[in-house]
Amino acid sequence: MSVRIGILTAGGDCPGLNAVIRAVVRRATNEAAEVLGVRNGWRGLVEDDIEPLTRASVTGILPRGGTILGTSRINPFDEPDYLIRISRNWAKYKLNALIVVGGDGSLRTARDLWRSEHMPVVGVPKTIDNDVGGTDFTFGFDTAVNIVSEAVDRLHSTAESHHRVMVVEVMGRHTGWIAAYGGIAGGADIVLVPEHPFRLSRICDFILHRAAQGRPFSIIVVSEYAHPRADENFITEEVAAEIYRKGQFGGIGNVLAREIEARTGMQARVTKLGYVQRGGSPSAFDRVLATRFGVKAYEMVRANEWGHMAALQGNRIVSISFDEALKEVKRLDEEIYNVAEIFFG
Ligand code: F6P
């Protein structure tokens, strides 16, 4: 029997989304299955914004950033009539399955729809933050790390020439994966992550120690959600509320640079990499991973593996339950943090 599969991309954009879409379409059309693209995440299912995807419509999208389907952060449980509208459109397009490509929030929604509405869904984990459980890596992460690493390389020029402290603020929501990998790859002197609250006096001592040793510059990579230790009081409650505001973090870099300048007497400058980290063409690693996830998602649909998600474990692509993946946020691996720490102090 021919199947009709819907696919949507939800949450923040991420390099590799188009590679997943292309892989699903290519794999499905090999078997004469049909794929329908749902536009702008769950919004397309609510608002009947759905289009057939063919081999022609996915030609040339592999290296493109963003998502040809568009994305949004709306949730089917946001409004009382959304579920009714979704099931009406599901029936209208005679869908047999839905592939949800999203981060932990969208995958949680997919799990709830499978559980409460028995919607046949499978998931593909995407996020530059690499914080989804059950998978060694999510696609998008490698590209973001490459961008951070290149930025740190470039910032060394100004740091060394002007004898400055350069603070680089990176994304990662509640985890320090991007900061740790990007910092190690770029040769940063200090890496600050949410998993390890920092002590400012230690950072300043280290910067001054380096200067005394003939290295009057330092590069600090700080994750957007990194916190000082509880007994440090240089961030007022008001400023903390601004930096760690729900849903959109940012600003810890500025606070740090100001304090470091005041305490060490060295010039400090900030670079917030922001959305540059998730824009543009995916790395080769992310293209391959996203393609493998897309192929696996199609095979999971054919095997009726509802409520499951594609995951990378070792070098194998496997299918794991949403429950397993969403048990907890995948925090930065201690072993990786310890490697970063070797270069700090
Ligand atoms: O989840 C990826 C991510 O890039 C986080 O690192 C960041 O905090 C967040 O998205 C910001 O996304 P937006 O501003 O699109 O909500």
Side-chain angles (χ1 to χ4, degrees):
M1 184 193 93
S2 162
V3 287
R4 304 191 98 201
I5 305 164
I7 179 168
L8 62 82
T9 53
D13 66 329
C14 172
L17 287 168
N18 288 324
V20 177
I21 298 166
R22 169 178 173 270
V24 169
V25 172
R26 293 290 294 265
R27 181 70 180 83
T29 49
N30 280 353
E31 290 187 2
E34 289 173 72
V35 183
L36 298 176
V38 178
R39 295 199 54 79
N40 302 319
W42 299 102
R43 186 185 292 283
L45 262 181
V46 173
E47 296 180 355
D48 188 0
D49 194 358
I50 296 170
E51 61 186 344
L53 291 175
T54 61
R55 284 178 80 109
S57 50
V58 298
T59 293
I61 69 171
L62 176 65
R64 277 174 58 187
T67 160
I68 60 161
L69 291 175
T71 184
S72 73
R73 294 201 188 272
I74 83 151
N75 186 308
F77 299 99
D78 282 349
E79 298 288 337
D81 69 330
Y82 278 5
L83 285 179
I84 300 166
R85 291 162 71 180
I86 287 175
S87 75
R88 204 182 298 141
N89 289 321
W90 187 280
K92 175 176 169 186
Y93 290 93
K94 299 187 172 55
L95 292 176
N96 303 109
L98 180 68
I99 296 174
V100 174
V101 191
D104 61 342
S106 318
L107 296 171
R108 225 169 274 283
T109 302
R111 177 192 60 187
D112 295 346
L113 284 171
W114 159 237
R115 228 186 238 158
S116 62
E117 310 301 314
H118 308 294
M119 187 185 267
V121 284
V122 303
V124 173
K126 70 87 216 182
T127 169
I128 65 164
D129 299 341
N130 197 37
D131 59 357
V132 177
T135 182
D136 293 348
F137 290 106
T138 49
F139 67 84
F141 172 65
D142 182 68
T143 307
V145 167
N146 279 302
I147 291 166
V148 172
S149 148
E150 192 195 331
V152 173
D153 282 352
R154 289 179 187 277
L155 289 167
H156 267 95
S157 307
T158 301
E160 290 178 24
S161 307
H162 290 257
H163 317 299
R164 283 178 180 161
V165 177
M166 302 298 277
V167 178
V168 191
E169 185 181 305
V170 302
M171 283 184 165
R173 208 171 287 253
H174 296 286
T175 63
W177 288 98
I178 296 176
Y181 268 74
I184 293 172
D189 304 299
I190 298 173
V191 171
L192 305 177
V193 297
E195 290 86 348
H196 290 267
F198 60 86
R199 187 180 282 292
L200 190 59
S201 54
R202 185 178 170 221
I203 294 169
C204 292
D205 287 350
F206 173 69
I207 290 168
L208 290 172
H209 176 74
R210 274 176 57 83
Q213 300 290 307
R215 282 163 296 155
F217 69 92
S218 289
I219 305 232
I220 303 176
V221 175
V222 57
S223 186
E224 59 185 349
Y225 199 64
H227 282 71
R229 283 165 54 144
D231 55 351
E232 300 252 335
N233 55 8
F234 67 94
I235 301 184
T236 63
E237 272 181 34
E238 242 182 323
V239 172
E242 173 63 16
I243 297 176
Y244 309 117
R245 65 198 179 285
K246 201 171 178 294
Q248 211 190 358
F249 309 128
I252 183 66
N254 287 322
V255 177
L256 265 181
R258 222 174 16 243
E259 281 296 316
I260 289 169
E261 203 165 272
R263 294 187 189 200
T264 64
M266 289 178 69
Q267 278 189 342
R269 293 286 190 271
V270 189
T271 301
K272 178 175 172 175
L273 292 180
Y275 298 94
V276 165
Q277 292 160 97
R278 63 187 212 203
S281 189
S283 66
F285 179 88
D286 281 337
R287 294 182 196 191
V288 174
L289 182 59
T291 299
R292 294 175 79 194
F293 277 173
V295 168
K296 181 70 178 179
Y298 173 78
E299 284 161 3
M300 286 160 63
V301 165
R302 295 316 311 244
N304 298 340
E305 289 179 26
W306 315 125
H308 279 61
M309 157 194 117
L312 176 71
Q313 295 184 349
N315 197 27
R316 300 258 64 85
I317 304 292
V318 298
S319 157
I320 63 170
S321 72
F322 282 145
D323 284 335
E324 188 187 340
L326 300 171
K327 252 193 325 245
E328 55 192 2
V329 170
K330 189 180 71 183
R331 306 267 168 218
L332 174 62
D333 189 335
E334 275 301 289
E335 192 243 304
I336 301 295
Y337 182 75
N338 292 339
V339 171
E341 268 244 300
I342 290 172
F343 303 93
F344 175 11

